[in-house]
PDB file of all heavy atoms in Angstrom:
ATOM      1  N   LYS A 216      58.721 -34.097  42.457  1.00  0.00           N
ATOM      2  CA  LYS A 216      57.344 -33.939  42.927  1.00  0.00           C
ATOM      3  C   LYS A 216      57.353 -33.244  44.275  1.00  0.00           C
ATOM      4  O   LYS A 216      58.061 -33.665  45.200  1.00  0.00           O
ATOM      5  CB  LYS A 216      56.674 -35.308  43.043  1.00  0.00           C
ATOM      6  CG  LYS A 216      55.208 -35.281  43.482  1.00  0.00           C
ATOM      7  CD  LYS A 216      54.661 -36.705  43.493  1.00  0.00           C
ATOM      8  CE  LYS A 216      53.181 -36.730  43.862  1.00  0.00           C
ATOM      9  NZ  LYS A 216      52.639 -38.118  43.848  1.00  0.00           N
ATOM     10  N   LEU A 217      56.564 -32.166  44.401  1.00  0.00           N
ATOM     11  CA  LEU A 217      56.415 -31.434  45.658  1.00  0.00           C
ATOM     12  C   LEU A 217      54.969 -31.507  46.119  1.00  0.00           C
ATOM     13  O   LEU A 217      54.048 -31.500  45.301  1.00  0.00           O
ATOM     14  CB  LEU A 217      56.787 -29.961  45.495  1.00  0.00           C
ATOM     15  CG  LEU A 217      58.122 -29.567  44.861  1.00  0.00           C
ATOM     16  CD1 LEU A 217      58.272 -28.044  44.900  1.00  0.00           C
ATOM     17  CD2 LEU A 217      59.281 -30.231  45.569  1.00  0.00           C
ATOM     18  N   TYR A 218      54.787 -31.504  47.432  1.00  0.00           N
ATOM     19  CA  TYR A 218      53.459 -31.391  48.008  1.00  0.00           C
ATOM     20  C   TYR A 218      53.276 -29.997  48.614  1.00  0.00           C
ATOM     21  O   TYR A 218      54.194 -29.180  48.635  1.00  0.00           O
ATOM     22  CB  TYR A 218      53.234 -32.479  49.058  1.00  0.00           C
ATOM     23  CG  TYR A 218      52.996 -33.840  48.463  1.00  0.00           C
ATOM     24  CD1 TYR A 218      54.065 -34.648  48.094  1.00  0.00           C
ATOM     25  CD2 TYR A 218      51.702 -34.307  48.250  1.00  0.00           C
ATOM     26  CE1 TYR A 218      53.848 -35.905  47.539  1.00  0.00           C
ATOM     27  CE2 TYR A 218      51.474 -35.566  47.692  1.00  0.00           C
ATOM     28  CZ  TYR A 218      52.558 -36.358  47.334  1.00  0.00           C
ATOM     29  OH  TYR A 218      52.333 -37.593  46.780  1.00  0.00           O
ATOM     30  N   GLN A 219      52.081 -29.729  49.124  1.00  0.00           N
ATOM     31  CA  GLN A 219      51.735 -28.409  49.632  1.00  0.00           C
ATOM     32  C   GLN A 219      52.657 -27.983  50.783  1.00  0.00           C
ATOM     33  O   GLN A 219      53.150 -28.795  51.551  1.00  0.00           O
ATOM     34  CB  GLN A 219      50.277 -28.370  50.090  1.00  0.00           C
ATOM     35  CG  GLN A 219      49.971 -29.198  51.330  1.00  0.00           C
ATOM     36  CD  GLN A 219      49.642 -30.640  51.024  1.00  0.00           C
ATOM     37  OE1 GLN A 219      49.921 -31.153  49.939  1.00  0.00           O
ATOM     38  NE2 GLN A 219      49.036 -31.312  51.992  1.00  0.00           N
ATOM     39  N   GLY A 220      52.875 -26.683  50.878  1.00  0.00           N
ATOM     40  CA  GLY A 220      53.607 -26.133  52.006  1.00  0.00           C
ATOM     41  C   GLY A 220      55.111 -26.306  51.964  1.00  0.00           C
ATOM     42  O   GLY A 220      55.791 -25.967  52.936  1.00  0.00           O
ATOM     43  N   VAL A 221      55.657 -26.797  50.878  1.00  0.00           N
ATOM     44  CA  VAL A 221      57.115 -26.965  50.766  1.00  0.00           C
ATOM     45  C   VAL A 221      57.773 -25.605  50.522  1.00  0.00           C
ATOM     46  O   VAL A 221      57.301 -24.821  49.695  1.00  0.00           O
ATOM     47  CB  VAL A 221      57.470 -27.938  49.626  1.00  0.00           C
ATOM     48  CG1 VAL A 221      58.971 -27.900  49.313  1.00  0.00           C
ATOM     49  CG2 VAL A 221      57.037 -29.349  49.994  1.00  0.00           C
ATOM     50  N   THR A 222      58.873 -25.348  51.225  1.00  0.00           N
ATOM     51  CA  THR A 222      59.650 -24.137  51.012  1.00  0.00           C
ATOM     52  C   THR A 222      61.052 -24.514  50.543  1.00  0.00           C
ATOM     53  O   THR A 222      61.770 -25.257  51.230  1.00  0.00           O
ATOM     54  CB  THR A 222      59.767 -23.298  52.301  1.00  0.00           C
ATOM     55  OG1 THR A 222      58.472 -22.849  52.678  1.00  0.00           O
ATOM     56  CG2 THR A 222      60.671 -22.093  52.086  1.00  0.00           C
ATOM     57  N   LEU A 223      61.424 -24.032  49.373  1.00  0.00           N
ATOM     58  CA  LEU A 223      62.797 -24.130  48.877  1.00  0.00           C
ATOM     59  C   LEU A 223      63.347 -22.717  48.940  1.00  0.00           C
ATOM     60  O   LEU A 223      63.194 -21.931  48.009  1.00  0.00           O
ATOM     61  CB  LEU A 223      62.810 -24.684  47.452  1.00  0.00           C
ATOM     62  CG  LEU A 223      62.094 -26.036  47.266  1.00  0.00           C
ATOM     63  CD1 LEU A 223      62.165 -26.473  45.808  1.00  0.00           C
ATOM     64  CD2 LEU A 223      62.668 -27.106  48.173  1.00  0.00           C
ATOM     65  N   GLY A 224      63.950 -22.380  50.074  1.00  0.00           N
ATOM     66  CA  GLY A 224      64.247 -20.994  50.372  1.00  0.00           C
ATOM     67  C   GLY A 224      65.705 -20.719  50.660  1.00  0.00           C
ATOM     68  O   GLY A 224      66.584 -21.556  50.442  1.00  0.00           O
ATOM     69  N   ALA A 225      65.948 -19.527  51.183  1.00  0.00           N
ATOM     70  CA  ALA A 225      67.306 -19.062  51.461  1.00  0.00           C
ATOM     71  C   ALA A 225      67.491 -18.873  52.960  1.00  0.00           C
ATOM     72  O   ALA A 225      66.553 -18.497  53.667  1.00  0.00           O
ATOM     73  CB  ALA A 225      67.567 -17.737  50.746  1.00  0.00           C
ATOM     74  N   LEU A 226      68.698 -19.140  53.413  1.00  0.00           N
ATOM     75  CA  LEU A 226      69.081 -18.692  54.740  1.00  0.00           C
ATOM     76  C   LEU A 226      69.188 -17.176  54.707  1.00  0.00           C
ATOM     77  O   LEU A 226      69.454 -16.582  53.663  1.00  0.00           O
ATOM     78  CB  LEU A 226      70.412 -19.317  55.143  1.00  0.00           C
ATOM     79  CG  LEU A 226      70.390 -20.847  55.324  1.00  0.00           C
ATOM     80  CD1 LEU A 226      71.804 -21.400  55.333  1.00  0.00           C
ATOM     81  CD2 LEU A 226      69.646 -21.222  56.594  1.00  0.00           C
ATOM     82  N   SER A 227      68.982 -16.530  55.827  1.00  0.00           N
ATOM     83  CA  SER A 227      68.988 -15.072  55.857  1.00  0.00           C
ATOM     84  C   SER A 227      70.324 -14.524  55.376  1.00  0.00           C
ATOM     85  O   SER A 227      71.382 -14.896  55.869  1.00  0.00           O
ATOM     86  CB  SER A 227      68.711 -14.578  57.278  1.00  0.00           C
ATOM     87  OG  SER A 227      68.695 -13.175  57.329  1.00  0.00           O
ATOM     88  N   VAL A 228      70.266 -13.652  54.356  1.00  0.00           N
ATOM     89  CA  VAL A 228      71.478 -13.026  53.815  1.00  0.00           C
ATOM     90  C   VAL A 228      71.242 -11.537  53.684  1.00  0.00           C
ATOM     91  O   VAL A 228      70.110 -11.073  53.583  1.00  0.00           O
ATOM     92  CB  VAL A 228      71.866 -13.603  52.427  1.00  0.00           C
ATOM     93  CG1 VAL A 228      72.244 -15.063  52.536  1.00  0.00           C
ATOM     94  CG2 VAL A 228      70.728 -13.406  51.420  1.00  0.00           C
ATOM     95  N   LYS A 229      72.331 -10.768  53.684  1.00  0.00           N
ATOM     96  CA  LYS A 229      72.231  -9.329  53.480  1.00  0.00           C
ATOM     97  C   LYS A 229      71.992  -9.031  52.007  1.00  0.00           C
ATOM     98  O   LYS A 229      72.220  -9.872  51.131  1.00  0.00           O
ATOM     99  CB  LYS A 229      73.504  -8.643  53.960  1.00  0.00           C
ATOM    100  CG  LYS A 229      73.735  -8.764  55.462  1.00  0.00           C
ATOM    101  CD  LYS A 229      75.000  -8.034  55.888  1.00  0.00           C
ATOM    102  CE  LYS A 229      75.200  -8.139  57.397  1.00  0.00           C
ATOM    103  NZ  LYS A 229      76.439  -7.462  57.852  1.00  0.00           N
ATOM    104  N   LYS A 230      71.566  -7.814  51.728  1.00  0.00           N
ATOM    105  CA  LYS A 230      71.222  -7.415  50.369  1.00  0.00           C
ATOM    106  C   LYS A 230      72.402  -7.562  49.421  1.00  0.00           C
ATOM    107  O   LYS A 230      72.230  -7.890  48.247  1.00  0.00           O
ATOM    108  CB  LYS A 230      70.741  -5.955  50.368  1.00  0.00           C
ATOM    109  CG  LYS A 230      70.040  -5.527  49.097  1.00  0.00           C
ATOM    110  CD  LYS A 230      68.684  -6.172  48.941  1.00  0.00           C
ATOM    111  CE  LYS A 230      67.900  -5.598  47.792  1.00  0.00           C
ATOM    112  NZ  LYS A 230      66.583  -6.235  47.616  1.00  0.00           N
ATOM    113  N   ASP A 231      73.634  -7.345  49.915  1.00  0.00           N
ATOM    114  CA  ASP A 231      74.790  -7.439  49.026  1.00  0.00           C
ATOM    115  C   ASP A 231      75.119  -8.874  48.636  1.00  0.00           C
ATOM    116  O   ASP A 231      75.992  -9.119  47.811  1.00  0.00           O
ATOM    117  CB  ASP A 231      76.022  -6.754  49.631  1.00  0.00           C
ATOM    118  CG  ASP A 231      76.409  -7.341  50.990  1.00  0.00           C
ATOM    119  OD1 ASP A 231      75.866  -8.393  51.367  1.00  0.00           O
ATOM    120  OD2 ASP A 231      77.268  -6.730  51.673  1.00  0.00           O
ATOM    121  N   GLY A 232      74.414  -9.845  49.214  1.00  0.00           N
ATOM    122  CA  GLY A 232      74.617 -11.236  48.835  1.00  0.00           C
ATOM    123  C   GLY A 232      73.616 -11.735  47.817  1.00  0.00           C
ATOM    124  O   GLY A 232      73.514 -12.932  47.554  1.00  0.00           O
TER     125      GLY A 232
END
Side-chain angles (χ1 to χ4, degrees):
K216 182 178 183 179
L217 309 183
Y218 285 84
Q219 68 273 17
V221 168
T222 296
L223 305 179
L226 294 164
S227 181
V228 295
K229 295 181 179 179
K230 194 70 171 179
D231 58 11

